[in-house]
Amino acid sequence: MSQNHPVQPAQAEQAAVDPGFPVQPQASIHLLDDPHEWSSFGRPAARNSQAPVPEDPTEAPVWDSFVVLEGMHCAACALTIEEALRAVPGVEGAEVSAATRRARVVWRHAQVLPSQWMEAVARAGYRALPARDAFARELRQAETRRALWRWLVAGFCMMQVMMYAWPAYTAKPGDLDLEFETLMRWASWVISLPVVLFCCGPFFKSALKDIAQRRVSMDLPVAIGMLITFVISTLGTFDPAGPFGHEVFFDSLTMFVFFLLTGRWLELRLRDRTAGALEAVMNRLPDSVLRLKPGGDEFERVATRRLRTGDVVRVLTGEAFPADGRILRGSTHADEALLTGESTPVLRVEGDSVTAGSYNLDSVVEVRVDSVGESTRFAQIVGLMESASLQKPRLAQLADRVARPFLVVVLLAALGAAIWWWPTDPGRALMVAVAVLIVTCPCALSLATPVAMLTAAGTLARSGVLVRNLQGLEALASVDTLVFDKTGTLTRDGLVLRALTPAAGQDTDEVLALAALLARQSMHPASRALARAAEVAELAAGAWQLDSAQELAGSGLDVWVQGRANAGQRRHLRLGSAAHCGVAELAPEQTGQSVMLAEEIQGRWTPLVQFHLSEDVRPEAAQVIADLKQHGVDVQLLSGDRAAAVRTVAAKLGIEQARGDCRPQDKLAAMQAAQAAGHRVAMVGDGLNDGPVLAGAHVSFAFGRAVPLAQSRADFVVLGDSLELVLQSLLLARRTLSVVRQNLGWAAAYNAISIPLALMGWMPAWLAGLGMALSSLLVVANAARLARALPLQAADSNASDPAHLAPRGTVMPLTQGGH
C-alpha cells in the first residue's frame, strides 16, 4: 500500500480546513477509527434521529455505517462482500447492493473498528470508502475514465486486427501463401497484446480474486473465455502445424472484448445517471463553511461537521445551508426542491428558518445554527434514502440466490460442450466452450429488478416522495383499493370560511370585520379562519377597538369593544356556538360547523351573523380521486372526525364509501376486512396517528410535514404538499413493475435462445460477447426510462382561498368575487 500518494490541490485545501480529512484513502484508513469521524459516514444504530448525536460517539454502543465499494460488478460480488463483513467479530449485520455498489455495516465499537472491517473487505478483493467521503465521486469519475480508455484501446485494436483478418475470410483457396498468412497472424497477435494486458485487466483481476477466495463471480467465466481464446490463438500462431494451427481467433477476441467493454461503460454511465438521486442529496452540504469566531469580529472557514448548535455561519450565494437554523442578517430565496418537493424558490428573511441542504440563491446571509448532524431534517432524508438504496426487493433476492448456482452450471455446461466437440476439432471445441462461458453470464438477470427499482426510487425522490421500503414499489403496483384519512391528507390543517348568513339589516363587510377583531384574541381553528378571511378580504377593524376579552374553553369568546372616536360608546359581543351566544341559528338548514356573532341589546342577546365553516379541502383532491378511479382504484375515506363532517368532504370529492367517528382500531378492522375480501389496500395518512393502520396496509403513504421522518411507519413519505404525488407514485410503480417484467422476460428469452445456439457451435465468440453486452445494456436502458420526471399538474394555490365574498344573499358563499 503506497504511502506516497500525491495530494491534489483541492484535497490539500480541504486538509488545511479539516485536519481529519482523509487525503490518502487507503493509507489513512485508520483515521476513520477516530470516534469523531464516525458520524461523517454513519449514525448511531437504533436511536431516535430527532435526538442529537452524543458529544462522545462512544456513548452509542452500535453504529450504522455506509460505504461505497470499488471493484464489484455483480450480485455474486455483493454476496462475497456480505460474507466477508459478517465474518468479522463485532459486525452485527451487512447489506450490500450490487446495483448501487454501496454497503450498510452495523458494528459494535467495543469489538471492532471501521479500519478492521474495511480491511476485511480489502482481503476479499474489494475496496470500501466512506459513502460521504469526497473521494467517492472522484473514484467513480476515475473509474469511468479508465473504462473509457480501455474501450478506446479495444476499439482501435479490434479495427486493426479485423483489417489483418479480412484477407483470410475473403481469399479463395490458394490465394494466400503460408508466409503471408503467418505474417498476418503475427501482426494480429502483437496488436492483441494491449487488449489482453490492458483492456482485459479488470476481468482477469476479478477472476484471480475468485480463484484465491475459492468462489465464483460473473467475471470468472468471461475471463476464462478470454484466456482460452488468446491461448489457443497464440498456439496456432507459434505452431501453425499443431492441433490448434488450423485457425486463430484474434478477431473474435478483440471484438467480444470491445463489445463487453462497450456494454460495461454504457451501463456505468446509465447507472450513475439513473441512480444518482441519493448522491444528489448527500452531496448538497458544503465541505466547509464560514463560522463566526468566538470574539465576534471575523469569520473563519471550518469543516461543516465541526459546527455546533449556537454557531453563527455566513452562507454565500450559491452555497447550501450547512445546518438547520434561523437567519440573523440578510434575506434570500432558498431552493428546497429536493428536500420538500417545493419547486419554486422560497423567500427567507430575518427570523425565518432555513433547512440544511437547501441552496442560498440570492445573497449572503448570516444564520444561527439550531441543529446539526443527525438531528436535521436533511440527515433524516439521507438516512431514509440510504436504507432504501440497500434494500433488496423480493425478485432481486431471488436473482441473487440463483446467481452462484447458475454460474457453476455455466462452467459445467462449457466443460461439457468442450468434451462433446473435442473429438471433432479441439480448436472448435474450445471456442464453443468460450461462447458458452460468455453468452450465459447472468448479468442481465441480476440487474433486471434492482436497477429498475432504484431508478424509480430516485425519480420519486427528485419529485418529493421518499421510498422507505423498496419492496413497497412492487406492492403499490398491484393496489386496487386506496384508503384516505381526512385531516392532513384530503384536507389541510384548519378551517376555512365557506359562507355567512347575516341578520336583517347587517352589512356583511362590517360584521366580518367585527368578528375578526374578536377572533384575533383566540387560537381556535374557527377563530383563525375568520381572522384569515377578513385579512385576505382586506377588511379593517373599522370604528371599534378591543376593550376586554375572555375566552371560555370549548364555548367561545365574551368581549367588550369600544368606539375609536368615542371611548364611552361600548358594545357587548359574543363569538362562538349558538348556545354560548344564547341565540338561535339564522340558517339551521346549513350543514357543517358554524359560528355565531351576537350582541347584547337591552339585556337580550341578538344574532348579528352566522358564519359557516368547512375544512380546507386540498384543491387537487377531487381531480386526484377521479383519476384514481379512472385507473381502476377504489377510493375510501376512514376518519376519526365527526361523521357529518366526513360525509360532507366525501360528497364534495366524489367518494362513495366514507366512515366517520373511527378509532384507530376501527380503521384497522375495516382495512383488514377489505384485505380478507381479496383487495390490495394502500393507506394514506398523517404518518403518526395512523401508525397501526399504515403498518397493516399492503403499502402506505404519510405526509412528512406532519410527522418526524424517523417515526413514520409508512413505506412512502410525501415531502411535498400535493396529493397528486400519491397518484403519480402509483402510476410510476405500475410502470416500474412492467419494466421489471420486461427485463426479466428479455433476460430469460436471451438465455433460452443463445445457450442452445452456443452449444451447437452456431454462435461465434464475438457474437456471444455482443449478445452479453447488449443484454445488460438493454436492461439498464429500459430502466432508465423510469428516470423521467413525474408529470405533476400545478395546483392553483388560491383555489380554496376562504376570503373572497360572493354577491349578497340570505346565505352568502365565499367564492372568488367582489365584496
Side-chain angles (χ1 to χ4, degrees):
M1 188 177 301
S2 175
Q3 299 292 326
N4 299 313
H5 194 83
V7 177
Q8 301 299 323
Q11 299 166 2
E13 179 183 352
Q14 178 64 27
V17 172
D18 179 9
F21 184 77
V23 174
Q24 302 175 34
Q26 285 298 329
S28 61
I29 190 173
H30 291 282
L31 291 177
L32 300 176
D33 293 343
D34 181 357
H36 291 94
E37 297 293 331
W38 298 347
S39 61
S40 67
F41 62 105
R43 57 178 177 266
R47 61 184 293 272
N48 180 4
S49 68
Q50 293 299 299
V53 176
E55 288 291 332
D56 183 4
T58 58
E59 291 179 12
V62 182
W63 277 75
D64 272 351
S65 294
F66 297 88
V67 293
V68 176
L69 298 165
E70 189 181 28
M72 65 174 295
H73 303 289
C74 63
C77 298
L79 293 175
T80 298
I81 297 173
E82 285 183 357
E83 291 172 357
L85 285 169
R86 289 169 180 166
V88 177
V91 172
E92 299 188 350
E95 296 173 337
V96 179
S97 170
T100 60
R101 301 181 184 181
R102 303 171 70 87
R104 170 177 176 258
V105 185
V106 182
W107 53 282
R108 189 173 293 274
H109 64 75
Q111 296 177 262
V112 67
L113 292 173
S115 64
Q116 294 172 312
W117 51 258
M118 286 186 176
E119 287 170 354
V121 174
R123 287 194 297 272
Y126 305 92
R127 186 180 182 189
L129 290 172
R132 302 178 194 177
D133 191 88
F135 283 98
R137 181 186 298 177
E138 295 177 14
L139 285 173
R140 193 182 64 258
Q141 293 173 345
E143 182 182 5
T144 302
R145 286 194 297 269
R146 288 194 299 267
L148 180 60
W149 270 110
R150 291 190 181 97
W151 175 74
L152 290 173
V153 171
F156 176 79
C157 293
M158 177 195 68
M159 291 187 290
Q160 299 303 310
V161 170
M162 286 301 301
M163 181 179 68
Y164 291 127
W166 186 252
Y169 287 112
T170 58
K172 297 179 182 179
D175 286 354
L176 293 178
D177 55 29
L178 181 61
E179 289 79 6
F180 184 79
E181 185 174 356
T182 302
L183 178 62
M184 295 297 101
R185 290 187 177 188
W186 276 99
S188 298
W189 180 79
V190 171
I191 296 174
S192 297
L193 285 176
V195 176
V196 174
L197 298 178
F198 175 64
C199 302
C200 298
F203 300 99
F204 290 143
K205 183 179 178 181
S206 179
L208 288 175
K209 288 188 296 186
D210 289 345
I211 294 172
Q213 298 288 333
R214 297 181 181 179
R215 68 189 183 215
V216 179
S217 74
M218 295 182 189
D219 281 346
L220 181 59
V222 174
I224 293 174
M226 292 174 177
L227 185 62
I228 290 175
T229 305
F230 182 73
V231 168
I232 63 174
S233 299
T234 300
L235 292 176
T237 300
F238 281 79
D239 185 12
F244 302 106
H246 176 67
E247 187 178 5
V248 294
F249 304 96
F250 294 116
D251 53 339
S252 295
L253 171 66
T254 54
M255 285 178 71
F256 82 70
V257 170
F258 173 74
F259 292 142
L260 288 177
L261 292 177
T262 300
R264 185 160 287 191
W265 182 70
L266 291 175
E267 177 190 323
L268 190 66
R269 294 295 304 273
L270 284 171
R271 188 201 303 262
D272 288 343
R273 192 185 77 183
T274 58
L278 174 60
E279 185 170 311
V281 174
M282 288 180 58
N283 289 328
R284 287 174 78 89
L285 289 188
D287 294 327
S288 61
V289 68
L290 293 171
R291 182 178 65 183
L292 187 64
K293 288 185 175 181
D297 296 330
E298 57 184 17
F299 288 82
E300 61 177 346
R301 185 162 289 277
V302 298
T304 298
R305 66 174 178 268
R306 304 298 186 192
L307 292 180
R308 294 292 180 265
T309 301
D311 287 346
V312 176
V313 297
R314 175 177 290 169
V315 183
L316 306 179
T317 303
E319 279 188 343
F321 290 99
D324 291 350
R326 292 191 177 275
I327 295 180
L328 295 180
R329 183 178 301 171
S331 63
T332 186
H333 281 84
D335 177 7
E336 301 177 350
L338 272 179
L339 302 177
T340 66
E342 175 59 57
S343 59
T344 304
V346 181
L347 177 64
R348 297 298 185 208
V349 298
E350 290 185 12
D352 285 350
S353 60
V354 291
T355 306
S358 59
Y359 280 113
N360 175 19
L361 298 180
D362 294 344
S363 59
V364 178
V365 293
E366 294 181 11
V367 177
R368 180 180 300 279
V369 175
D370 291 337
S371 57
V372 296
E374 293 300 309
S375 59
T376 63
R377 185 175 179 83
F378 171 81
Q380 296 173 39
I381 292 173
V382 169
L384 292 182
M385 295 182 68
E386 283 179 325
S387 298
S389 70
L390 290 165
Q391 292 173 3
K392 295 181 181 179
R394 180 176 51 83
L395 294 173
Q397 293 174 7
L398 179 61
D400 286 355
R401 283 197 297 268
V402 303
R404 280 185 175 172
F406 185 82
L407 289 170
V408 173
V409 172
V410 166
L411 294 174
L412 294 177
L415 179 61
I419 294 173
W420 175 266
W421 284 93
W422 189 270
T424 305
D425 184 346
R428 181 178 177 81
L430 292 178
M431 290 310 296
V432 168
V434 168
V436 173
L437 288 171
I438 296 171
V439 82
T440 53
C441 184
C443 290
L445 184 64
S446 67
L447 290 172
T449 299
V451 168
M453 293 285 192
L454 289 169
T455 302
T459 301
L460 288 173
R462 287 190 293 271
S463 301
V465 180
L466 291 184
V467 181
R468 297 185 73 249
N469 178 14
L470 211 56
Q471 186 67 38
L473 280 169
E474 186 178 344
L476 182 60
S478 60
V479 160
D480 60 12
T481 302
L482 194 60
V483 178
F484 282 99
D485 179 42
K486 180 175 65 67
T487 306
T489 52
L490 291 177
T491 64
R492 295 191 178 102
D493 293 333
L495 300 170
V496 292
L497 180 56
R498 173 173 50 86
L500 57 85
T501 304
Q506 297 295 329
D507 181 80
T508 56
D509 287 359
E510 182 180 341
V511 292
L512 179 57
L514 190 59
L517 175 64
L518 276 63
R520 293 188 184 99
Q521 314 312 311
S522 170
M523 294 302 294
H524 191 278
S527 298
R528 292 203 302 266
L530 295 177
R532 186 167 58 250
E535 180 183 348
V536 176
E538 298 180 353
L539 298 177
W544 303 97
Q545 62 185 4
L546 189 70
D547 181 25
S548 63
Q550 180 182 9
E551 182 173 9
L552 303 177
S555 297
L557 290 160
D558 192 299
V559 178
W560 284 90
V561 297
Q562 63 184 16
R564 292 183 182 274
N566 183 5
Q569 187 180 9
R570 305 178 76 228
R571 299 173 69 179
H572 187 195
L573 303 171
R574 284 181 179 177
L575 180 69
S577 64
H580 169 67
C581 295
V583 297
E585 294 186 357
L586 296 174
E589 73 279 1
Q590 288 290 307
T591 60
Q593 187 171 345
S594 65
V595 174
M596 300 295 298
L597 175 65
E599 180 179 6
E600 186 182 15
I601 302 176
Q602 296 178 355
R604 295 183 60 186
W605 286 97
T606 303
L608 301 180
V609 64
Q610 181 177 359
F611 297 103
H612 306 285
L613 306 174
S614 65
E615 291 186 279
D616 188 9
V617 177
R618 295 180 186 270
E620 74 279 4
Q623 185 60 51
V624 168
I625 289 171
D627 290 343
L628 285 168
K629 292 180 178 179
Q630 185 178 350
H631 287 93
V633 179
D634 180 41
V635 179
Q636 300 180 15
L637 174 57
L638 299 176
S639 175
D641 204 352
R642 295 173 296 108
V646 172
R647 286 194 297 269
T648 300
V649 172
K652 183 181 295 187
L653 299 179
I655 301 176
E656 291 81 12
Q657 301 183 57
R659 286 178 54 188
D661 298 315
C662 291
R663 297 170 300 172
Q665 53 265 42
D666 297 329
K667 295 181 184 180
L668 185 59
M671 188 184 64
Q672 289 174 341
Q675 292 173 330
H679 294 289
R680 303 286 295 180
V681 181
M683 176 70 189
V684 183
D686 64 8
L688 187 59
N689 297 328
D690 296 314
V693 191
L694 295 175
H698 289 114
V699 64
S700 52
F701 287 84
F703 277 75
R705 294 184 179 183
V707 60
L709 295 179
Q711 297 178 29
S712 174
R713 302 184 186 181
D715 300 300
F716 298 86
V717 177
V718 182
L719 298 178
D721 199 33
S722 173
L723 272 181
E724 200 171 1
L725 289 168
V726 176
L727 170 65
Q728 296 299 336
S729 299
L730 172 68
L731 299 181
L732 182 63
R734 290 181 175 180
R735 285 176 50 207
T736 301
L737 198 61
S738 175
V739 167
V740 169
R741 288 169 177 161
Q742 292 168 9
N743 286 348
L744 291 174
W746 158 250
Y750 160 74
N751 281 283
I753 295 172
S754 59
I755 292 176
L757 293 177
L759 289 171
M760 290 186 290
W762 293 351
M763 179 175 287
W766 67 266
L767 185 57
L770 178 61
M772 174 191 167
L774 287 180
S775 65
S776 298
L777 188 59
L778 182 62
V779 163
V780 178
N782 193 32
R785 298 189 296 118
L786 299 170
R788 300 170 188 163
L790 298 183
L792 295 177
Q793 303 295 324
D796 182 3
S797 60
N798 293 324
S800 61
D801 245 345
H804 299 285
L805 304 183
R808 305 181 193 278
T810 304
V811 177
M812 309 194 64
L814 297 180
T815 57
Q816 193 158 339
H819 294 173

